[in-house]
Amino acid sequence: MAHGVMAPSYGYGPRPQAQTASNFELWAWLFMRISGIMLVVLALGHLAIMHVINTVDVVDYQFVVDRWTGPWSAVWRTYDALLLVLALIHGLNGVRIVVDDYVSSQAWRVFWMSLLYVGGFFFIVLGTLVIFAFTPQK
Amino acid sequence: MQAQVSGVLGRYTANKLGMYAWALHRLTGIGVIAFLLVHIIDTAFVMVGPELYNEAMALYKQPFFRPFEVALAAAVIYHALNGIRVTLIDFWEGAARIQERLFYGVLVLFALLFLPSAFIMLRPLFVR
C-alpha cells in the first residue's frame, strides 16, 4: 500500500483518492493556478528583460553586480527570489504530476518523490542564498 | 475500464486538439524546469567569483547556443499562454466548451509574442 505516496493514475477519470484524508492535492492544484498566473508576468518579464531588451552578450559578472547592488537592488533581489521560488515549486510539482502519471512501480515512485523533495530543498536553499547573500568580489 | 499506464501514449492517436495542447504543455514544462535547475547552478557561480561566472556565461554566448535560447523562449511563452487557457477552463465552465477555440487563440498569441522575440534574438547572428 502507498504510504503518503500517490496511488497510480491510469490516465482516465478523476485522479485516485489519497489514502489519507488530506486536502494536499487541492492546495497543490490551487498553488499551480495562482503561481502560474504570477509566473506569466514574472517569467515573461524576465525573458523580455534578459533576452529581448538585453541579450546574453551583455550578461556577465558586472551585470549581476549592477543588478544586485545598484539603487534598485532590493527590487531586483525580490523579483529574482519570487521568480526562483515560484518557478521551482511550480516546476517540481509539475514533475511530481508527471511521475504520478508514468511511474507505476512503488519503489520508483518512492525514489522519485525522495529525489524531488531533497532536490527541491537543495535548489531553493542554494538559489535564495545566492540571491540574498551575494556581495561583489574585487 | 482502466487502461494500462503504458496506454497513455495511445491517447495521442485520438487526434483531439486538446490532447496536443496538453502534450505540448508537459513537454515545454519539462524543458523549462530542466533549464531552471541548470540556471540555478550557473547563477550560483557568482558566489565563487567573476572568473568562473564569466566563463559559464561565455558558454551561453556561443553562437551554437542561440537556437536553444530561442527554444527556451518558445517553451516559456507557450507554457504561459496555454497555462492561462487551462486556468480559464478550470474556473469558468464556458471556457471548457470553447477550449479548442481557446487553443487557436493560444497559437495566435504565441506567434505574436514569439516571432518578434525570435527575430530580435537571432538577428545578431546574421547582422554584424
Side-chain angles (χ1 to χ4, degrees):
Chain A
M1 271 287 90
H3 300 285
V5 179
M6 298 176 294
S9 159
Y10 291 94
Y12 289 91
R15 286 187 181 279
Q17 287 291 306
Q19 264 88 19
T20 51
S22 149
N23 281 333
F24 178 76
E25 292 301 337
L26 175 67
W27 290 113
W29 170 83
L30 191 62
F31 170 79
M32 290 306 262
R33 300 300 174 276
I34 294 170
S35 62
I37 297 296
M38 293 172 77
L39 284 166
V40 169
V41 179
L42 291 168
L44 289 185
H46 180 74
L47 213 61
I49 293 164
M50 301 305 294
H51 300 268
V52 178
I53 297 167
N54 288 293
T55 76
V56 282
D57 295 317
V58 301
V59 179
D60 59 7
Y61 191 81
Q62 192 54 47
F63 186 96
V64 179
V65 171
D66 294 342
R67 183 183 168 104
W68 282 348
T69 63
W72 294 94
S73 66
V75 173
W76 283 122
R77 287 191 201 225
T78 307
Y79 185 110
D80 292 341
L82 203 58
L83 177 58
L84 166 82
V85 171
L86 289 178
L88 195 53
I89 299 177
H90 186 102
L92 291 177
N93 189 53
V95 176
R96 188 181 68 88
I97 301 295
V98 173
V99 169
D100 179 37
D101 275 354
Y102 299 114
V103 182
S104 50
S105 132
Q106 190 62 25
W108 281 109
R109 292 166 76 82
V110 170
F111 168 80
W112 273 104
M113 291 305 141
S114 314
L115 190 70
L116 287 173
Y117 279 100
V118 174
F121 180 78
F122 170 79
F123 277 101
I124 282 193
V125 170
L126 176 68
T128 44
L129 209 65
V130 168
I131 291 171
F132 289 113
F134 176 77
T135 44
Q137 292 178 22
K138 255 285 149 214
Chain B
M1 279 283 283
Q2 276 187 330
Q4 293 287 311
V5 172
S6 60
V8 163
L9 285 175
R11 292 185 290 178
Y12 293 102
T13 58
N15 197 24
K16 292 264 169 62
L17 204 56
M19 292 310 284
Y20 290 101
W22 171 84
L24 272 175
H25 201 73
R26 287 227 149 155
L27 204 67
T28 52
I30 294 290
V32 173
I33 183 68
F35 174 72
L36 175 59
L37 298 182
V38 175
H39 190 38
I40 291 171
I41 300 288
D42 71 53
T43 304
F45 288 168
V46 288
M47 300 304 275
V48 181
E51 294 81 14
L52 183 63
Y53 185 74
N54 288 340
E55 207 175 302
M57 290 305 108
L59 199 68
Y60 289 142
K61 292 169 190 173
Q62 300 282 320
F64 79 84
F65 209 87
R66 202 53 70 95
F68 293 102
E69 192 193 336
V70 173
L72 173 70
V76 174
I77 293 170
Y78 174 80
H79 200 87
L81 295 174
N82 192 58
I84 295 172
R85 170 178 163 273
V86 170
T87 306
L88 285 175
I89 292 170
D90 278 356
F91 285 105
W92 176 41
E93 222 187 321
R97 281 193 289 273
I98 58 163
Q99 61 91 6
E100 295 212 338
R101 255 182 291 170
L102 286 174
F103 182 58
Y104 289 123
V106 165
L107 294 184
V108 170
L109 283 175
F110 174 83
L112 288 176
L113 287 175
F114 173 69
L115 292 178
S117 311
F119 177 76
I120 293 168
M121 281 190 269
L122 289 172
R123 201 167 65 139
L125 288 187
F126 302 102
V127 188
R128 284 284 149 199

